[in-house]
Every structure is written in C-alpha cells, then in structure tokens.
Amino acid sequence: MTVTDKKKSLSLPPGNNGLPFIGELLELIKDPYFAQKRHEKYGAIFRTKLLDQNVIYLRGTEANNFLFSNEKEYFETQLFKTTEALLGKSSISVQTGPIHQSRRKILYQAFQPRLLSNNINEIENIARRYFENWKNIKILTWYPELKKFTFDVACKFLIGLEKASDTQLGDWYEAWEPGLFSFNTLPLPWTNFSRAMRSRKKLLNEIEKIILDRQKQNDFNSDALGILLNAQDENGNKLNLEEIKNQIIALLFAGHTTLTSALSSLCLLLAQHEHVLTRLRTEQEKFPRDEPLTLEMLKKMNYLEQVLQEVLRLIPPVAAGFRKIIKTCEFNNYQLPEGWMIFYSIASTHQDLRVYFEPGRFDPERFSPKRNESKNKPYSYIPFGAGMRECLGKELARLEMKIFAALLVREYEWKLIPSQNLNLNFVPVPRPIDGLKVYFNQRL
Ligand code: HEM
C-alpha cells in the first residue's frame, strides 16, 4: 500500500453533513458559536458541509502547527469567487505558489520599520483630528467613524492621500467592499456584487491617476506606493501598473476593515472594564502630554501592549482563515482529502482552556510577564495568522492601535449610551450590532 493509499484508507474527521443541498450553512449563519460548539464536542478537528463544499475545521496549537508547517505541500489559499474577482488575480491575497512568495518579499518592504516610525506623527495627527471632531459632536455612532479613521490612515500610509474618506475614493470603496462578502454572482445590475465590480473599475482608475502623478514627481520614498513603484523581484523586474493597482486595493482592504473591528472592540471593552481603563490612564501619566508621541514612548507602554494583545485574543477581527487541500494528507489519524476546504479557527484557538485561564474573560493580566499564558505554546495566539500568509501589516496595525489608544485614554472619556444592542455581528468582522453608540467628551 502506498503512503497515499494509506492516507485514503483513514477515516474522515467526525462531524455532520447537515441537510441535502445546503449542508450546515444555516446553522453557521445563525450561530456565532457554530465552530466552538462542535470543537467542544469533537476536539481539535471536525468536518461539515456548507452548500456543496466539504469543509474541515481545525483549532488549537497542534492543529495550527500541522497546518502552518505543511502549508507549502498540502494547502493553498482559497477565497470566495466574488472576493477573488473583486480583489483581482494579481493581488497578494489571491496569488499562490512562487509568485506569492516573491510578492510577499516586495510588499514587505512597504512595512519596513523606517517607514512605520516615519508615520507615527501622521497617524497621531489624523487621530487628533478625529478626536476633536467627536468631542464637538458629543454623541456618536462610533463604528462608522472608526472606519473613516482607519481608511484615512491606510490611504495616507499606502498612497499618500489626505482625508481620503471625504473623497470619491472613499465613496467608491464603500460601494466596493460589501461585494466581497456576497455569495450572489448573478450578472444583475442591482446586486452588491455588480455594484462592487463597477466601483472596482472606478477605484482602479483613481489609483492609476495617483500612480501616474507619482511617477511624474519622481517621489519614491515617502510612502508604501513609492516603495512598490521602485521595488524589484529577485530577477530585477518591477511590478507592472496593473499589478500595483490590484496590490494597493488588496492592502487597503486587508488593512482597514480589520483595524476598524479591533479599535471598536477596544473602545467597547474599555467602556465595560473601568479598572483596566483606570490602570491605562495611570500608565499614560508617565508620558508628557504636550509632546508628540515617539517610538521610544510607545515601546514603554507595557500595560497598553497587554491590553491590545488581549483585545485581539478575545475578539480577533479575523475569526478564521481558509485553505484548499491540494494533496490528501492526515492529521490525528484522520484523512484530509484533496479538494476539501480547511477553516483554521483563530477565535476558537484563542478559547483553548489548556492555554488560557477563563478564556471568555477580558483579562489583560494574562499577557503580563508573570503569567504570559501563551508563552512556549506555539500557534496558540494567532490574531495575525501564521506561516506563509501571516499578516504583512501586523506591525502597522499594532502601531496604529497603540497610538490611537494612548491618545484616547489620556485625553478623552466615553460612556455607552443605554438601550443599544452591544451583541456582535461577526460577518465580515466582529462589530456591535447597533454600531457602538457613545457620549464622547474631553477629560478635564
Ligand atoms: C488588527 C488588524 C489586523 C488583523 C487582525 C489582521 C489579520 C490578518 C490575518 C489573520 C491574516 C492571515 C489570513 C490567512 O491566514 O489567510 C492577514 C493577512 C494579511 N494582512 Fe492583515 N490584519 C490586520 C491588519 C493589516 C494591515 C494594517 C495590513 C496592511 C495595510 C494588513 C495586510 C495583510 C495582508 C497583505 C495579508 C495577506 C498576506 C498573504 O496572503 O501573504 N493587515 N491579516
């Protein structure tokens, strides 16, 4: 018996196929704890069927280790058809194999530490402009505001555009994004998908104008776009215009929806945990209020660091990652057949009782040097994924969250408006159902 035959003779992971035609899709949509409940019943691995797609869910240190250590041989990224069409074939999230690896090296240059630290003051200024506005409005629905903030930061960082959410680019982006998560690809003009495809064209045209302008100015150093325009692959080839446009759209998306979710979870959890907020404010008293933030100051904000880590553990903006199995393999004596999909669950991994004490509780102390619960447990803390597709923008994300949080807690206060629905919608990213309504004020 060959190794492949042996793998094929193993049994499938435990689980259920659900109803004919739809499988367990309705259960998945209705129940945010769909995966968690099944992991509790079956353990680290279970199978299900969603429409006609067979899916295997994985969670936990060992399963993640298996996935990320064997990614090259057995797995490939898998996106919905709509997502692929809207991001474009030459975007990092869709590319696979050697071209993906080569592009990661190029795009990584756009997130090098020098560029990140050059942007600290820019991010601070954008945050201050928003705080000032919110202070004047006093009552706000925070989620859409945070979305504008992260869009402005992403556009400034990536393409050097100021106040992007007030431009047409912002409007087109808003019409484009909902299409990414629509299953309906029928060519009817009024569907989210068709509207998004029309907006994609406008977005690409606008980005092209910005690129051509930049090339005329000969400015290749000040932001990510400049660096991408100049970057070369290992054979000395530059990225062509079409690809740069697609890469920029992919980065805008990857970097801004996730961060919006993270910031809204931070604001919600701090409003609900007064003692954490108080301790954060005490830490901030060590830093001069009238001086701009610097990398050195940010590095010393240890408790804030713990709080941000805990926010991303408890409510990870990306709850799961998807892969296609390209060659039959085995895990825990179960067969993982070629053609099936893998969902590796970040949210469930972060709820592992073997790693985290009372994992459902918001407890930043679990990341203190004394407890450090996930230390020496590889792949038990993976808000940014891991392996060949680990988040390229994770340092930018951490920096932006830290700057925003430091200024917010030292200078402002906010209270949740009563009688709103604070339960989370999880698709496409976690966010409070009523959008997080707050009273916002300057601290005395
Ligand atoms: C809190 C904020 C963020 C979170 C939680 C997050 C999370 C993730 C996760 C889990 C993945 C891996 C998905 C997979 O395994 O398939 C990923 C990939 C990626 N992220 Fe992020 N991300 C964040 C912010 C950003 C930012 C700010 C950028 C850039 C502007 C960015 C750019 C990317 C890119 C380009 C990839 C794809 C990498 C590849 O396919 O090789 N992300 N992110």
Side-chain angles (χ1 to χ4, degrees):
M1 202 193 257
T2 65
V3 177
T4 315
D5 287 342
K6 189 177 154 248
K7 283 176 188 161
K8 285 186 180 159
S9 70
L10 292 171
S11 51
L12 292 170
N16 230 309
N17 278 352
L19 296 170
F21 305 111
I22 56 168
E24 292 196 288
L25 184 67
L26 291 182
E27 283 91 333
L28 175 74
I29 293 171
K30 274 191 296 194
D31 185 359
Y33 301 101
F34 174 88
Q36 205 174 316
K37 282 181 188 160
R38 284 158 181 77
H39 278 303
E40 271 158 28
K41 186 167 171 193
Y42 299 119
I45 176 167
F46 73 85
R47 83 183 142 82
T48 180
K49 198 163 185 175
L50 304 173
L51 299 173
D52 60 350
Q53 178 66 59
N54 288 303
V55 180
I56 291 176
Y57 274 71
L58 295 176
R59 83 147 179 205
T61 312
E62 295 82 5
N64 294 336
N65 188 18
F66 164 73
L67 175 72
F68 295 124
S69 316
N70 294 290
E71 222 173 339
K72 211 168 173 180
E73 190 174 355
Y74 296 121
F75 309 107
E76 208 170 62
T77 189
Q78 163 119 35
L79 299 173
F80 296 114
K81 290 269 169 296
T82 42
T83 318
E84 252 186 51
L86 285 167
L87 287 174
K89 289 232 175 309
S90 56
S91 73
I92 181 88
S93 310
V94 179
Q95 288 164 328
T96 55
I99 186 88
H100 169 253
Q101 280 172 286
S102 144
R103 290 328 189 231
R104 262 185 83 88
K105 279 190 206 139
I106 291 187
L107 295 194
Y108 184 72
Q109 297 175 36
F111 298 96
Q112 54 186 275
R114 175 186 64 83
L115 207 63
L116 293 181
S117 56
N118 283 353
N119 271 275
I120 293 177
N121 293 133
E122 288 291 356
I123 300 175
E124 173 166 355
N125 292 340
I126 300 173
R128 286 195 181 282
R129 178 160 57 78
Y130 273 87
F131 292 144
E132 198 56 27
N133 183 33
W134 297 339
K135 185 188 82 181
N136 294 332
I137 301 175
K138 285 199 166 23
I139 295 180
L140 59 129
T141 304
W142 220 346
Y143 193 87
E145 287 291 319
L146 291 167
K147 201 158 181 223
K148 284 192 198 170
F149 164 71
T150 56
F151 190 68
D152 282 1
V153 173
C155 286
K156 178 73 192 152
F157 181 84
L158 293 169
I159 49 178
L161 189 66
E162 306 274 352
K163 298 188 183 173
S165 59
D166 295 338
T167 66
Q168 276 199 315
L169 194 86
D171 299 337
W172 293 327
Y173 184 91
E174 282 300 308
W176 171 78
E177 199 192 66
L180 291 172
F181 309 100
S182 97
F183 296 104
N184 185 350
T185 47
L186 290 176
L188 302 168
W190 57 85
T191 61
N192 271 348
F193 178 68
S194 299
R195 207 173 309 126
M197 281 306 277
R198 289 195 297 275
S199 305
R200 175 179 149 83
K201 268 197 194 146
K202 294 179 186 160
L203 277 174
L204 288 172
N205 284 342
E206 191 62 25
I207 294 171
E208 182 167 328
K209 276 192 217 150
I210 295 173
I211 295 176
L212 296 178
D213 255 15
R214 182 65 61 84
Q215 282 171 326
K216 273 191 221 143
Q217 289 161 18
N218 235 357
D219 170 8
F220 297 121
N221 231 346
S222 58
D223 57 20
L225 174 61
I227 288 179
L228 294 186
L229 285 171
N230 232 2
Q232 298 180 348
D233 67 14
E234 40 288 316
N235 303 319
N237 298 321
K238 290 192 169 185
L239 301 183
N240 66 36
L241 180 65
E242 250 351 88
E243 177 165 354
I244 295 189
K245 290 193 293 185
N246 282 300
Q247 297 293 17
I248 292 287
I249 292 201
L251 290 174
L252 271 181
F253 167 65
H256 125 88
T257 313
T258 45
L259 259 166
T260 311
S261 168
L263 291 181
S264 108
S265 301
L266 169 82
C267 298
L268 172 64
L269 289 165
L270 290 184
Q272 291 171 327
H273 296 83
E274 192 73 37
H275 64 288
V276 176
L277 186 55
T278 308
R279 209 174 139 189
L280 279 176
R281 285 185 171 142
T282 310
E283 183 178 70
Q284 287 305 313
E285 280 164 17
K286 289 189 218 149
F287 304 98
R289 260 197 188 205
D290 44 5
E291 283 176 26
L293 290 172
T294 62
L295 195 59
E296 289 64 41
M297 285 186 210
L298 292 165
K299 277 187 187 156
K300 288 184 193 145
M301 298 177 187
N302 297 328
Y303 186 62
L304 177 54
E305 184 64 43
Q306 281 172 224
V307 171
L308 299 180
Q309 276 181 283
E310 176 65 343
V311 169
L312 293 177
R313 181 198 67 83
L314 188 61
I315 315 181
V318 180
F322 311 118
R323 299 288 186 272
K324 182 167 75 186
I325 304 172
I326 51 172
K327 197 166 140 195
T328 300
C329 50
E330 76 168 272
F331 172 69
N332 270 9
N333 255 337
Y334 292 119
Q335 183 195 153
L336 279 60
E338 183 181 327
W340 285 38
M341 256 178 97
I342 293 277
F343 283 15
Y344 77 89
S345 176
I346 297 174
S348 300
T349 293
H350 290 177
Q351 290 298 316
D352 193 335
L353 283 160
R354 295 168 311 161
V355 178
Y356 299 106
F357 176 69
E358 297 184 337
R361 215 157 62 84
F362 180 60
D363 176 14
E365 269 310 284
R366 71 174 83 248
F367 288 106
S368 64
K370 204 162 131 206
R371 276 173 60 194
N372 206 350
E373 293 179 348
S374 59
K375 195 177 170 196
N376 299 331
K377 292 162 193 145
Y379 305 114
S380 58
Y381 180 74
I382 49 164
F384 295 104
M388 285 166 52
R389 291 199 169 259
E390 188 182 27
C391 179
L392 271 176
K394 74 174 187 175
E395 293 310 325
L396 172 64
R398 284 155 41 101
L399 184 75
E400 188 172 335
M401 285 180 76
K402 212 163 186 183
I403 294 171
F404 179 92
L407 298 171
L408 177 73
V409 303
R410 12 165 128 155
E411 295 180 29
Y412 298 92
E413 57 191 17
W414 65 101
K415 293 253 169 310
L416 299 172
I417 296 181
S419 311
Q420 61 175 310
N421 191 344
L422 291 171
N423 290 330
L424 301 180
N425 246 335
F426 284 89
V427 182
V429 287
R431 63 192 194 286
I433 286 175
D434 282 346
L436 194 61
K437 296 175 193 298
V438 293
Y439 302 111
F440 192 88
N441 251 313
Q442 182 120 36
R443 286 180 74 209
L444 292 178

